[in-house]
Amino acid sequence: MTAEQMRNKYFEFFRERGHSLIASASLLPENDPSVLFTTAGMHPLVPYLLGERHPMGKRLVNAQKCIRTDDIDDVGDASHHTYFEMLGNWSLGDYFKKESIRMSYDFLTRVLGIPADRLAVTVFEGHALIPKDTEAYDYWKDVGLRDSQIYFYGMDENWWGPAGATGPCGPDTEIFYDTGALSCNDECGPACKCGKFVEIWNNVFMQYNKLADGSYVLLDQQNVDTGMGLERIVAVLNGQASVYETDMLAPIVKKIEELTGVAYSDWVGEAGVAGSSVGNVREFRIIADHMRAAVFILGDYKKVVPSNTEQGYILRRLIRRAIRLLRQLAAGADPQSCLSAIADVVISINANVYPELLENRDFIIEQLEKECAIFLRTLERGLKEAEKVLGRLEAGGTLAGGEVFRLFDTFGFPPELTEELAAEKGAAADIEGFKQHLAQHQEKSRSGARGMFKGGLADHSDQTARLHTATHLLNGALRTVLGDGVMQRGSNINAERLRFDFSFDRKMTAEEIEAVNKIVNRAIADSIDVVCEEMPVDAAAASGAVGVFESRYGEIVKVYTMGEYSKEICGGPHVANTGELVSFTIQKEESSSAGVRRIKATVGAQ
Ligand code: SER
């Protein structure tokens, strides 16, 4: 089974059952300060899960590009990725547990032909505030599962969300494929990591909204949100030991073999379902995964570039780790041309579904080459620095773990290399100490990432709606003052301000900033009604609306118009009349990255 066949089977099954197919949204969430990347198909749908009407109806299906950096340390095993594709179907206040379980069961057993006794499912066992999910249990029994196939777990395993600190969440029922391997012990079940059970699908019953005070309130509408990892289900169906053998990843691994002249040691499948660290398996997998993620981030229409902050920082880390491992596999390989060659394979595997990769190919290659050149220079400086600190060491001495970490963190200088250089000088390097520093650093960056979840996707407060509406007016005013070449590159809103990134290749003059300020304030003073219309994406484009035309399946989109000032395709929260913004003030205009400017602004009584 190929990924494409799988996608199509999934779409067909759910379309036959009344679901509208929608396009994957951007990997870079719109108007959402709480997460760096889209991590699930439900992310772009949060407003609709909270009750806003979706123009395509109450039943949706899609394949969504996702990036999860939480799993980055697990990449290299058989099934974890940073980038992956998620198949999902949704009920927005339409069907609920019974139909969802029935459809999932039918799809897996009838369409994919998985024998029913190979399935195991988990159900929410209840919690002080939320009752046990006996309904889900009953419906699994109704479709024919035996008690021995149904496992109850608590909040840790069978509760999903919210994606941020607040927002839609609920009990889930996860579906696993039982590989048939022997149980590792009496406690062995789907939650066990021994590899007997492979998670294939998660059906979340979004009944609750978690509020900032930690309480759960029932949502006005009961939703279903499901997600199935495309690569993983294809691997399971094909009996492949890891996702790296599927047609989504195997050509990348093959390319790495060709470029490095090193054979991937896992083709015979010795890794088993639980993964393996045999030979060079980890290195190959990490390079393949990270390059795929990097190409998808660069290929997104938002044009993120490697940098030291936010998405750009993750991108930088992904590319640099791939370069380090490539050099580790084959010291003689030219990393720059390897990156480009691997990127081309990633593009060719995915371009039919994600044409933006092909459209942005030159940009992708240019950025990879640039980052590679910067990193190689940094590594050279690291080498000099390493020689300096090692020069201070006495023969037989040991370089402290903190120093090994500093070389790694600041210069990307690999600890193995430090160890080798130390050995040449008859000294040692404290690799254990290095690992402790690294672990501390990872813990810090993880909690940093958790800190990102403040506010949350569910923040559709009045202030967010005002700032978001102001973003539309700002976009329109910038195009009036600076020309139609201005394109939105990013938007981020928090309680205090809006932040808007747009393509423009020089600093704005004071006069231009003032002119933009004036236009937005005039639109506010005019108290214009914000008009929302639903139309096919082609009609939206023909009407002169700006925005992302990423709909691929003839979808209906929402177009928001504010008089002559703004016309945009959008799904965000808006106020009803521009007068509600009271006033608008640009606080700062600065560079964001090459060719991209950034404006921070506020609304409200000043
Ligand atoms: N949102 C759920 C998940 O990520 C189902 O898609 O698992």
Side-chain angles (χ1 to χ4, degrees):
M1 164 101 56
T2 65
E4 180 160 354
Q5 286 164 345
M6 180 64 209
R7 256 190 229 104
N8 291 339
K9 277 183 194 295
Y10 191 81
F11 293 163
E12 194 184 307
F13 179 86
F14 284 99
R15 289 177 87 164
E16 278 169 3
R17 285 157 185 76
H19 294 67
S20 306
L21 179 59
I22 59 171
S24 169
S26 166
L27 263 180
L28 307 157
E30 201 71 51
N31 302 313
D32 184 4
S34 66
V35 280
L36 289 179
F37 296 102
T38 301
T39 63
M42 57 76 71
H43 262 157
L45 296 173
V46 168
Y48 311 103
L49 293 163
L50 289 173
E52 199 174 305
R53 219 183 73 77
H54 194 285
M56 294 303 286
K58 292 183 170 183
R59 296 182 178 206
L60 307 174
V61 59
N62 88 349
Q64 172 65 46
K65 308 184 268 189
C66 297
I67 285 197
R68 289 191 179 176
T69 49
D70 277 2
D71 289 342
I72 201 159
D73 296 327
D74 292 323
V75 173
D77 72 2
S79 60
H80 283 89
H81 314 281
T82 46
Y83 172 85
F84 68 103
E85 221 175 293
M86 186 187 274
L87 298 172
N89 59 282
W90 293 273
S91 155
L92 304 170
D94 190 35
Y95 60 83
F96 205 42
K97 296 179 188 180
K98 182 177 181 180
E99 298 84 343
S100 169
I101 286 174
R102 165 58 69 185
M103 283 191 264
S104 293
Y105 179 82
D106 284 351
F107 182 70
L108 293 172
T109 57
R110 296 200 185 158
V111 180
L112 301 185
I114 298 178
D117 60 7
R118 277 300 171 96
L119 297 178
V121 301
T122 65
V123 173
F124 184 55
E125 74 179 1
H127 159 269
L129 302 173
I130 320 267
K132 180 172 180 167
D133 194 353
T134 50
E135 289 169 329
Y137 168 80
D138 289 342
Y139 296 136
W140 279 120
K141 293 284 292 199
D142 286 350
V143 297
L145 291 201
R146 297 184 309 272
D147 272 331
S148 59
Q149 292 174 279
I150 307 175
Y151 296 75
F152 282 95
Y153 291 111
M155 216 69 181
D156 286 349
E157 301 290 337
N158 274 104
W159 184 268
W160 200 87
T166 58
C169 52
D172 60 13
T173 184
E174 292 188 305
I175 309 172
F176 290 75
Y177 176 75
D178 181 347
T179 59
L182 288 177
S183 299
C184 65
N185 63 38
D186 291 349
E187 303 289 295
C188 187
C192 179
K193 304 277 177 252
C194 72
K196 173 174 169 58
F197 295 95
V198 182
E199 184 196 330
I200 47 179
W201 207 346
N202 187 10
N203 291 24
V204 185
F205 305 123
M206 283 191 165
Q207 295 171 268
Y208 297 94
N209 193 8
K210 185 174 185 188
L211 303 181
D213 64 7
S215 62
Y216 295 92
V217 291
L218 273 176
L219 283 171
D220 292 341
Q221 67 183 35
Q222 297 192 318
N223 309 295
V224 175
D225 154 43
T226 89
M228 165 149 67
L230 173 64
E231 296 82 350
R232 205 182 278 177
I233 188 74
V234 171
V236 163
L237 290 171
N238 291 342
Q240 288 158 329
S242 91
V243 292
Y244 294 88
E245 290 179 33
T246 67
D247 66 320
M248 302 286 276
L249 283 142
I252 311 176
V253 172
K254 285 227 162 67
K255 188 50 135 189
I256 302 171
E257 281 190 317
E258 183 191 313
L259 292 163
T260 58
V262 178
Y264 176 57
S265 51
D266 193 39
W267 287 124
V268 286
E270 74 258 39
V273 275
S276 149
S277 53
V278 182
N280 54 32
V281 166
R282 223 177 141 257
E283 288 79 2
F284 266 86
R285 290 176 175 177
I286 294 174
I287 298 168
D289 168 84
H290 285 19
M291 283 303 294
R292 198 160 74 122
V295 167
F296 269 94
I297 297 172
L298 286 166
D300 202 280
Y301 62 89
K302 293 212 178 139
K303 303 251 167 94
V304 167
V305 296
S307 74
N308 287 330
T309 55
E310 302 182 355
Q311 290 111 342
Y313 177 63
I314 301 285
L315 175 60
R316 168 159 281 168
R317 275 182 53 194
L318 292 166
I319 299 172
R320 291 186 174 198
R321 199 164 176 211
I323 297 172
R324 275 205 295 113
L325 294 176
L326 271 168
R327 285 167 48 114
Q328 205 168 302
L329 280 179
D334 166 31
Q336 228 164 9
S337 56
C338 288
L339 294 192
S340 308
I342 297 170
D344 272 330
V345 176
V346 177
I347 295 170
S348 73
I349 295 171
N350 295 285
N352 62 335
V353 180
Y354 300 105
E356 63 270 25
L357 297 181
L358 206 54
E359 282 155 29
N360 293 323
R361 179 189 174 267
D362 291 350
F363 177 79
I364 296 170
I365 302 285
E366 178 193 300
Q367 291 298 327
L368 286 173
E369 290 186 348
K370 207 158 129 188
E371 182 60 16
C372 188
I374 297 173
F375 182 48
L376 293 180
R377 275 203 303 277
T378 313
L379 270 181
E380 254 170 58
R381 282 208 300 275
L383 186 62
K384 285 206 187 99
E385 186 67 19
E387 279 172 349
K388 210 158 79 190
V389 290
L390 286 168
R392 289 194 220 116
L393 265 190
E394 295 180 4
T398 300
L399 188 66
E403 274 298 309
V404 183
F405 179 71
R406 188 178 67 83
L407 289 168
F408 173 75
D409 193 39
T410 315
F411 300 101
F413 203 68
E416 310 79 49
L417 218 54
T418 309
E419 202 177 14
E420 262 172 43
L421 290 174
E424 277 170 25
K425 294 191 165 25
D430 178 8
I431 298 297
E432 273 314 306
F434 161 80
K435 284 184 185 154
Q436 278 164 18
H437 275 86
L438 184 68
Q440 272 165 18
H441 174 83
Q442 282 167 341
E443 188 41 47
K444 253 192 238 154
S445 53
R446 270 201 212 105
S447 38
R450 278 199 285 271
M452 290 286 304
F453 288 134
K454 278 197 293 281
L457 290 151
D459 181 17
H460 280 68
S461 66
D462 294 347
Q463 182 63 359
T464 305
R466 276 192 287 271
L467 287 165
H468 180 72
T469 310
T471 302
H472 279 236
L473 292 173
L474 172 61
N475 193 1
L478 285 168
R479 292 167 66 85
T480 305
V481 174
L482 305 177
D484 285 350
V486 167
M487 292 291 167
Q488 172 166 347
R489 287 283 180 250
S491 160
N492 172 302
I493 288 170
N494 67 24
E496 281 84 43
R497 51 110 188 106
L498 67 85
R499 196 181 80 190
F500 185 71
D501 291 352
F502 57 99
S503 54
F504 193 58
D505 56 11
R506 63 165 170 82
K507 191 170 172 49
M508 288 173 70
T509 65
E511 292 73 29
E512 286 165 343
I513 294 176
E514 193 37 42
V516 169
N517 237 332
K518 268 211 181 106
I519 296 177
V520 177
N521 278 296
R522 203 169 59 227
I524 295 171
D526 286 354
S527 293
I528 301 162
D529 281 340
V530 178
V531 178
C532 175
E533 292 163 287
E534 293 181 3
M535 58 183 89
V537 77
D538 295 348
S543 78
V546 296
V548 182
F549 301 94
E550 61 194 347
S551 313
R552 304 226 164 99
Y553 309 107
E555 292 135 270
I556 309 282
V557 291
K558 286 186 174 173
V559 175
Y560 285 87
T561 307
M562 301 173 211
E564 294 300 308
Y565 294 98
S566 162
K567 194 183 233 334
E568 275 196 44
I569 295 185
C570 190
H574 302 80
V575 298
N577 184 288
T578 58
E580 292 173 45
L581 310 187
V582 188
S583 78
F584 173 83
T585 315
I586 293 182
Q587 296 173 313
K588 210 172 189 178
E589 189 270 348
E590 61 191 352
S591 164
S592 164
S593 58
V596 179
R597 306 294 301 176
R598 168 170 289 182
I599 282 181
K600 289 183 182 158
T602 56
V603 295
Q606 302 300 318

